[in-house]
Amino acid sequence: MSDAWDDLVSTMDRLRSPGGCPWDAEQTHESLVRYLLEESAELAEAIETGDREGLREELGDVLLQVVFHARVAQEDADDPFDVEDVVRDLTTKLVHRHPHVFADTPLGDLDTQWDALKAREKRRKSVLDGIPAGLGALAAAQKVRGRLRRAGLLEAALGDLHGGDPASGEVGARTAGGELGERLVELVAEADAAGVDLESELRVRTARLTAVARRIEREGAAEGARD
């Protein structure tokens, strides 16, 4: 593994250095964001479709993004760091966040323990701090609800939101959009209780619908060609 890792790091260094690839040399953290998102989505798709070959390839593509960003970070004039710094920080974080494995600490509720450790590490003032602003609405709803539930704040927040009645889903005037929103909230609550990732489930089912539609298109085109 050491040789393979060293080869990857040195290859990325050569691509980025003078005499390497002009495209790689001109990239920034900002310009690379789109590729990180695309490769992450492709990795998720490979996992959800059971594509073993694709899984191996997409893991490599995501790893490339990590190594690429770390190589760009080496050139920062004010706060440079490299991939070795990233790996060391990650190892330290993993050890710190698993005291039940690496220290003599009783094992409690893992999600609650994880949230508490992250809050102390990052000096968060709210249990909701750290949820990405760009997260999809469905994923964000589950994330917020899960954080509040583990912190023991969910019922109080729902009660205040719905005028003291946590069971009520009504906020404002009843409209078609509002009713659909209420049903979505109910689904999020049901998924949270069952430990189901709705975002992933929706992607899988949309992919299945897409595959069926494409097959129907192909069959229709083949039928038309025969006619």
Side-chain angles (χ1 to χ4, degrees), residues 1-20:
M1 176 59 186
S2 178
D3 289 343
W5 175 256
D6 290 344
D7 286 346
L8 172 60
V9 174
S10 62
T11 298
M12 186 68 251
D13 182 65
R14 181 173 179 183
L15 290 171
R16 179 75 180 180
S17 298

Side-chain angles (χ1 to χ4, degrees), residues 102-129:
F102 299 101
D104 189 17
T105 302
L107 177 62
D109 179 83
L110 288 176
D111 286 334
T112 302
Q113 178 175 288
W114 186 268
D115 286 344
L117 289 168
K118 287 177 70 174
R120 286 199 296 271
E121 281 177 12
K122 299 178 181 294
R123 301 178 182 177
R124 291 174 175 168
K125 296 180 180 180
S126 167
V127 296
L128 300 179
D129 286 348

Side-chain angles (χ1 to χ4, degrees), residues 217-227:
E217 285 179 329
R218 288 194 301 270
E219 291 174 352
E223 186 68 27
R226 285 195 294 271
D227 294 343

Side-chain angles (χ1 to χ4, degrees), residues 79-161:
D79 184 23
F81 61 84
D82 61 17
V83 72
E84 297 297 327
D85 295 317
V86 173
V87 171
R88 278 191 293 269
D89 289 350
L90 175 58
T91 302
T92 299
K93 181 190 296 184
L94 286 173
V95 171
H96 182 255
R97 292 187 183 176
H98 294 82
H100 55 287
V101 176
F102 299 101
D104 189 17
T105 302
L107 177 62
D109 179 83
L110 288 176
D111 286 334
T112 302
Q113 178 175 288
W114 186 268
D115 286 344
L117 289 168
K118 287 177 70 174
R120 286 199 296 271
E121 281 177 12
K122 299 178 181 294
R123 301 178 182 177
R124 291 174 175 168
K125 296 180 180 180
S126 167
V127 296
L128 300 179
D129 286 348
I131 297 177
L135 203 59
L138 194 57
Q142 278 202 267
K143 181 71 74 174
V144 168
R145 191 180 184 92
R147 291 270 190 95
L148 292 176
R149 174 177 50 77
R150 293 192 294 272
L153 298 173
L154 181 59
E155 291 304 314
L158 288 175
D160 188 79
L161 177 66

Side-chain angles (χ1 to χ4, degrees), residues 61-93:
D61 288 342
V62 171
L63 178 58
L64 168 60
Q65 296 304 309
V66 175
V67 175
F68 205 154
H69 276 281
R71 178 61 184 81
V72 173
Q74 285 182 241
E75 302 167 16
D76 189 280
D78 299 318
D79 184 23
F81 61 84
D82 61 17
V83 72
E84 297 297 327
D85 295 317
V86 173
V87 171
R88 278 191 293 269
D89 289 350
L90 175 58
T91 302
T92 299
K93 181 190 296 184

